[in-house]
Amino acid sequence: MTRTIKALLLTTSVLGMTGIAQAADVTLTIESWRNDDLSIWQEKLIPAFEAKNPGIKVVFSPTAPTEYNAALNAKLDAGSAGDLISCRPFDASLELYSKKHLADLTGLAGMENFSDVAKAAWTTDDGKASFCVPMASVIHGFIYNKDAFDKLGIAVPKTNDEFFAALDKIKADGTYVPMAMGTKDLWEAATMGYQNIGPTYWKGEEGRLALIKGEQKLTDADWVEPYRVLAKWKPYLGDGFEAQTYPDSQNMFTLGRAAIYPAGSWEISQFNSQADFKMGAFPPPVQKDGDTCYISDHNDIGMGLNAKSGHQEEAKKFLSWVASPEFAEIYANALPGFFSLNSTAVKMSDPLAQEFVSWREKCKPTIRSTYQILSRGTPNLENETWVESANVINGTDTPEQAGEKLQKGLDSWYKPAK
């Protein structure tokens, strides 16, 4: 009996000491909608941080993408949300900051590694406070079938004239549909069409910010001209493109039936696994040789600090690591097509991803023109741009009509701040 009691006391003592040791470790929980990334966090990112930060454990706890916003808001209101919050771009996260759910990270060590454009999706309208560390963006351009280009003797186009000459040559040959894009789902026409080539005409950030300030309008030449170019795409999209969905377009390209795909870099991983031909990519063509090129390098995901986290210092240490070049390199290579927003260049192991990200060295970056401030009202400018972009390609609206409709809708609720 005595021996049993001693054994129990010894076991209790050991367990108690273990509990004390465990209590010394702080556990941080990350809220996210990127459930596809669970293994990357568990196998690559978290081990890299924990190895250099003993005493801090990190748990990645994702929610289904469609449920994330509602679930996160409910947790934040109840005080049960994780320490670290994955941030969607622009208004959804700005609202969380306005409700004091997200802490101000303006002075966080590492924030100096990001440009104003990189921080734009998680900065207040007046530019005085940033509330999420930028993590990744997606870049727009064109992915092409290298085998098709080689077979037809087509050089990668740099100007509009070269681009349309290439499309003409592909169409005349008849082996491939020149360009894989449909208008049925609407958003493709805007995201991979208008927002892809548009920055070349409105000069990226210069035009985007002028539109917000009310110094430019969607009826101005710089905003109508990309629609004129987009209208010229129609003969090259193949029969029945008006009924073609986004998955249809993806399949058309990866099956080798189309030569060019107006793209977002998020396609890279899927295309790598499905296409059995060599691929390349080129940025939006410029109007004439020697012109400045512009790319939509659109902020996609960031990470913030729950203002009510009980582990503020540890969470800030983690966020400073997220702002580091080390994190940037691991993350960008684990998810090719989701590019680090860090000012330090990241060498990509995936050649197609490296091609996309190399454009940052020669082109001026901007973000989609409709995402900051201009889609907060009704009608929603982003959604209306989907409709008008499809209408212009389909030929049911002229470029001028599209500009007039979009500006009229914006004028109905948006008054630029003086």
Side-chain angles (χ1 to χ4, degrees):
M1 188 76 172
T2 305
R3 204 175 282 175
T4 305
I5 291 170
K6 283 182 178 178
L8 284 170
L9 288 171
L10 182 61
T11 302
T12 304
S13 176
V14 171
L15 286 171
M17 289 173 68
T18 305
I20 291 167
Q22 289 176 338
D25 285 342
V26 166
T27 299
L28 302 174
T29 301
I30 301 173
E31 303 279 2
S32 178
W33 70 90
R34 293 284 308 169
N35 46 13
D36 288 348
D37 302 347
L38 180 60
S39 62
I40 290 162
W41 280 95
Q42 290 179 335
E43 297 167 15
K44 296 182 179 181
L45 293 163
I46 291 172
F49 172 79
E50 290 181 348
K52 294 183 177 179
N53 294 275
I56 304 177
K57 302 296 181 187
V58 183
V59 175
F60 185 73
S61 180
T63 305
T66 53
E67 300 167 11
Y68 179 70
N69 287 19
L72 177 63
N73 277 291
K75 288 180 186 177
L76 287 167
D77 289 339
S80 61
D83 307 274
L84 298 153
I85 310 296
S86 295
C87 301
R88 293 193 187 274
F90 300 101
D91 292 353
S93 293
L94 178 60
E95 185 178 358
L96 294 181
Y97 176 73
S98 300
K99 290 181 176 179
K100 303 190 185 309
H101 287 316
L102 292 175
D104 185 347
L105 300 179
T106 308
L108 181 82
M111 287 297 274
E112 69 276 6
N113 294 336
F114 303 96
S115 70
D116 289 343
V117 173
K119 291 185 284 190
W122 304 286
T123 296
T124 51
D125 291 350
D126 60 12
K128 292 181 179 178
S130 295
F131 42 85
C132 298
V133 175
M135 281 171 57
S137 72
V138 290
I139 296 176
H140 294 290
F142 296 82
I143 296 175
Y144 68 96
N145 182 328
K146 274 189 175 181
D147 293 348
F149 272 45
D150 290 345
K151 178 183 174 184
L152 299 176
I154 297 172
V156 174
K158 294 179 181 178
T159 66
N160 269 337
D161 286 348
E162 292 170 355
F163 180 67
F164 283 103
L167 291 172
D168 284 333
K169 194 167 187 178
I170 298 163
K171 186 175 182 181
D173 172 75
T175 306
Y176 307 92
V177 172
M179 198 152 51
M181 195 183 81
T183 56
K184 181 176 174 59
D185 291 342
L186 304 180
W187 71 270
E188 286 173 89
T191 307
M192 278 92 100
Y194 189 65
Q195 296 288 3
N196 190 349
I197 66 170
T200 297
Y201 300 89
W202 61 71
K203 297 182 175 59
E205 286 296 277
E206 181 183 321
R208 186 182 76 84
L209 296 173
L211 193 63
I212 291 171
K213 293 173 185 174
E215 295 168 358
Q216 290 186 16
K217 291 185 177 294
L218 293 161
T219 49
D220 291 350
D222 289 352
W223 295 88
V224 175
E225 186 59 28
Y227 272 135
R228 293 196 184 103
V229 176
L230 210 60
K232 292 169 64 177
W233 286 16
K234 183 176 181 178
Y236 306 106
L237 300 181
D239 296 336
F241 73 86
E242 298 92 340
Q244 186 172 307
T245 65
Y246 175 53
D248 292 337
S249 301
Q250 291 174 306
N251 290 335
M252 179 184 286
F253 183 73
T254 56
L255 290 171
R257 290 167 44 212
I260 298 174
Y261 183 93
S265 58
W266 61 83
E267 307 283 8
I268 291 173
S269 293
Q270 182 177 338
F271 282 11
N272 280 344
S273 66
Q274 293 181 350
D276 61 0
F277 51 84
K278 292 179 182 176
M279 292 178 288
F282 57 88
V286 294
Q287 295 178 71
K288 62 180 186 299
D289 197 33
D291 283 356
T292 301
C293 71
Y294 294 85
I295 53 169
S296 176
D297 191 351
H298 189 72
N299 303 355
D300 191 64
I301 184 170
M303 188 171 291
L305 168 58
N306 182 348
K308 294 186 174 63
S309 166
H311 307 298
Q312 295 283 316
E313 292 311 308
E314 293 86 355
K316 285 179 181 177
K317 185 176 284 190
F318 183 82
L319 287 169
S320 288
W321 182 71
V322 170
S324 73
E326 180 189 9
F327 174 89
E329 185 168 349
I330 299 171
Y331 189 83
N333 279 295
L335 287 165
F338 288 84
F339 300 111
S340 165
L341 286 161
N342 199 296
S343 298
T344 303
V346 174
K347 179 67 177 175
M348 309 293 296
S349 57
D350 182 275
L352 198 53
Q354 178 59 33
E355 177 59 40
F356 269 90
V357 84
S358 72
W359 304 339
R360 288 177 171 174
E361 297 169 15
K362 59 185 178 181
C363 303
K364 290 188 175 181
T366 185
I367 55 180
R368 295 174 202 157
S369 61
T370 53
Y371 265 62
Q372 187 181 35
I373 299 173
L374 300 181
S375 291
R376 292 179 187 171
T378 303
N380 180 293
L381 182 60
E382 166 70 0
N383 294 345
E384 293 299 295
T385 301
W386 295 3
V387 173
E388 288 309 315
S389 299
N391 286 350
V392 166
I393 295 172
N394 292 342
T396 56
D397 272 341
T398 66
E400 292 74 18
Q401 286 171 328
E404 288 167 7
K405 287 183 179 181
L406 293 174
Q407 188 61 48
K408 184 178 179 182
L410 188 60
D411 284 341
S412 71
W413 66 267
Y414 179 65
K415 308 300 175 199
K418 300 297 182 186

